[in-house]
């Protein structure tokens, strides 16, 4: 499959992406919250339980993995990439090495991982990966993000994307403007516009085929400490406006991160966006917490109760699948919980 077809398949209508690429440090935090020891075996069992769920086939087009996971063999006999393929989704891999302190602006970060990337990509391709992820992180304060952080992260994202397309895989471009802080929705709009603009400027300099990419942005949302809350309608309107203005129309698909929104908020906001989507972009989800939080809770209650873990995951996958078509409704949440 060529990269343009892969990009379409990952985000086919009614489907989205499962971000299960938490680093060992991040999954440690998630497991701590449910009192589960952060062992390789537990990480494998939790993830293979999700990937073996019936909801995968209808609602999940791609799964983002971490280095450890793509190399694991399941207790069912298949490798992790084989299990994902068997459920009709495409395996992908996080290839950045994390957000590190930015020299010259040490309260900000730049994402590292370009050294040796060409060789790592070859290995991931041979393990079955057909798309990749690289996440740049920007925080909003009175003085940040600086243009130094916006430019250096955009440059790294573009160099990453060029290497990934050379390796015949689809790069997910993830510039995440964090929700942390007391800024209002207008500030989020402004900062996200600047960030996206610089990203597409660099992607153009690096001659990226935008039809073979997927954008993974934040929604336009007030900071988590902001007193003035916004309705889902306002979030949807501002988000679409920002994307329309700053994302070139060749980009086929946009798959949001959930970024700390609750599971229901993430579904509700995505649904509102798709209800009024007047762009040509396919707009869907690439959620980590937004797809896994309830399943993780069930795993914490009883790691052996596969049925309950999968039930919780299937429900969220279905809800977000509906949201990606603008067909979600609050009462569907209640019905299924009953
Ligand atoms: P969240 O949906 O939990 O923000 O995770 C998505 C992701 O992949 C962040 O890089």
């Amino acid at each position: 499959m060529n990269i343009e077809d892969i990009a379409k398949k990952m985000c086919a209508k009614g489907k989205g992406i499962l971000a299960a690429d938490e680093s060992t440090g991040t999954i440690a935090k998630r497991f701590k919250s449910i009192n589960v020891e952060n062992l390789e075996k537990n990480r494998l069992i939790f993830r293979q339980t999700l990937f073996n769920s019936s909801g995968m086939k209808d609602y999940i087009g791609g799964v983002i993995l971490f280095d450890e996971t793509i190399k694991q063999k399941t207790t069912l006999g298949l490798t992790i990439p084989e299990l994902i393929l068997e459920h009709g989704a495409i395996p992908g891999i996080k290839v950045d090495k994390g957000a590190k302190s930015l020299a010259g602006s040490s309260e900000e970060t730049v994402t590292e991982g370009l050294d040796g990337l060409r060789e790592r990509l070859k290995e991931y391709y041979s393990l079955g990966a057909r798309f990749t992820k690289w996440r740049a992180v920007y925080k909003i304060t009175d003085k940040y993000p600086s243009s130094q952080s916006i430019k250096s992260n955009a440059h790294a994202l573009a160099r990453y994307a060029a290497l990934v397309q050379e390796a015949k895989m689809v790069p997910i471009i993830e510039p995440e403007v964090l929700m942390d802080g007391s800024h209002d929705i207008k500030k989020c709009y402004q900062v996200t516009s600047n960030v996206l603009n610089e990203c597409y400027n660099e992607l153009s300099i690096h001659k990226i085929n935008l039809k073979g990419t997927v954008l993974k942005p934040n929604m336009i949302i007030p900071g988590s400490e902001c007193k003035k809350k916004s309705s889902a309608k306002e979030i949807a309107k501002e988000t679409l406006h920002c994307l329309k203005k700053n994302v070139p129309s060749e980009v086929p698909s946009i798959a949001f991160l959930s970024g700390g929104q609750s599971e229901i908020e993430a579904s509700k906001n995505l649904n509102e966006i798709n209800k009024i989507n007047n762009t040509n972009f396919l707009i869907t989800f690439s959620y980590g917490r937004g797809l896994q939080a309830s399943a993780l809770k069930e795993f914490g209650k009883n790691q052996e109760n596969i049925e309950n873990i999968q039930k919780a995951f299937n429900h969220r996958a279905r809800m977000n699948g509906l949201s990606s078509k603008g067909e979600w409704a609050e009462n569907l949440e209640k019905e299924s919980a009953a």
Side-chain angles (χ1 to χ4, degrees), residues 19 21 30 64 133 135 174 176 216 257-260 286-290:
D21 59 323
R30 307 272 186 268
I64 318 175
K133 178 187 118 171
R135 171 174 174 258
E174 183 179 6
E176 176 174 4
K216 175 163 174 164
L257 55 96
S258 59
S286 175
Y287 292 164
R289 286 161 287 180

Side-chain angles (χ1 to χ4, degrees), residues 60-246:
I60 305 293
V63 180
I64 318 175
L65 301 168
F66 184 59
D67 180 76
E68 172 186 273
T69 325
I70 199 171
K71 296 170 180 165
Q72 275 170 328
K73 193 161 179 174
T74 65
T75 57
L76 313 158
L78 302 172
T79 66
I80 287 278
E82 284 167 350
L83 178 64
I84 291 168
L85 277 172
E86 195 176 89
H87 285 270
I90 304 175
I93 179 82
K94 186 227 303 282
V95 300
D96 69 61
K97 296 242 174 182
K100 304 287 161 64
S101 174
L102 175 61
S105 186
S106 61
E107 288 176 60
E108 296 187 282
T109 61
V110 63
T111 300
E112 296 188 353
L114 291 169
D115 288 356
L117 180 56
R118 180 177 270 132
E119 289 68 37
R120 288 195 288 128
L121 291 173
K122 280 195 191 120
E123 187 194 3
Y124 290 139
Y125 189 95
S126 74
L127 290 167
R130 291 297 177 267
F131 72 93
T132 64
K133 178 187 118 171
W134 179 288
R135 171 174 174 258
V137 189
Y138 313 84
K139 69 172 169 191
I140 298 182
T141 69
D142 289 347
K143 49 181 188 169
Y144 299 133
S146 64
S147 63
Q148 184 189 351
S149 129
I150 292 176
K151 282 180 190 287
S152 53
N153 274 301
H155 179 78
L157 267 167
R159 286 187 55 198
Y160 140 81
L163 284 163
V164 171
Q165 290 197 334
E166 180 190 89
K168 306 205 180 323
M169 291 185 276
V170 169
I172 293 185
I173 312 290
E174 183 179 6
E176 176 174 4
V177 178
L178 296 174
M179 259 171 78
D180 308 350
S182 55
H183 55 273
D184 62 11
I185 192 167
K186 291 227 151 26
K187 179 78 179 179
C188 178
Y189 180 104
Q190 242 175 35
V191 170
T192 305
S193 292
N194 295 343
V195 162
L196 289 175
N197 230 296
E198 190 56 31
C199 284
Y200 284 102
N201 177 34
E202 283 286 342
L203 289 167
S204 149
I205 291 170
H206 289 259
K207 305 185 205 71
I208 303 306
N209 171 7
L210 294 181
K211 291 186 181 156
T213 65
V214 170
L215 174 67
K216 175 163 174 164
N218 50 283
M219 293 178 191
I220 305 300
I221 229 165
S224 45
E225 316 284 303
C226 178
K227 298 234 160 58
K228 192 166 176 284
K229 301 292 168 218
S230 295
S231 66
K233 269 202 177 62
E234 188 183 4
I235 290 167
K237 212 173 106 242
E238 297 291 327
T239 301
L240 281 168
H241 198 257
C242 183
L243 294 173
K244 228 173 151 173
K245 253 183 96 180
N246 297 295

Side-chain angles (χ1 to χ4, degrees), residues 5-52:
D5 290 337
I6 297 170
K8 277 188 209 137
K9 194 166 174 217
M10 286 159 64
C11 300
K13 193 84 189 150
K15 292 190 180 186
I17 297 169
L18 165 59
D21 59 323
E22 298 86 358
S23 63
T24 310
T26 301
I27 198 84
K29 281 190 232 158
R30 307 272 186 268
F31 277 5
K32 194 164 179 226
S33 73
I34 51 162
N35 267 323
V36 169
E37 211 180 337
N38 189 23
L39 302 175
E40 180 181 349
K41 181 177 99 329
N42 292 341
R43 295 192 289 271
L44 173 68
I45 296 299
F46 178 59
R47 285 167 169 156
Q48 83 170 39
T49 304
L50 301 187
F51 307 159
N52 201 28

